[in-house]
Amino acid sequence: MRVGKVIGTIWATRKDEKLNGLKLLIVQQLNIINDSNEGAPIIAADMIGAGVGERVIIVGGSSARSAAGSNHVPVDATVVGIIDDQEIEEDLI
């Protein structure tokens, strides 16, 4: 699992029919310790109704496909949680 911030939405009129009904978000992956950007933004299927500006939990690979409803859905990342808060013991880092 990874942490990210929703920075936008993608709309695609023409797409694989297995993507029909899925909301697609643009998510900037974040470093969980300091919220700095980690790599390029990704597109993730949204299963929970996340919105722009929210910090989210993302899964990838077969977990992403399973969370999207089927191992046959062509997704690489899926948003599975909205982060309310986090607590990190800084002396353990």
Side-chain angles (χ1 to χ4, degrees), residues 16-35:
D16 186 297
E17 67 181 36
K18 294 178 196 86
L19 294 174
N20 287 340
L22 290 179
K23 180 179 170 188
L24 301 175
L25 300 174
I26 304 168
V27 180
Q28 175 61 61
Q29 298 177 88
L30 300 174
N31 179 311
I32 196 167
I33 304 299
N34 61 18
D35 276 350

Side-chain angles (χ1 to χ4, degrees), residues 48-82:
I48 54 162
V52 173
E54 291 186 297
R55 292 176 70 234
V56 294
I57 299 168
I58 310 157
V59 294
S62 63
S63 295
R65 291 185 295 280
S66 177
S70 167
N71 282 333
H72 301 292
V73 178
V75 296
D76 290 330
T78 301
V79 174
V80 296
I82 298 172

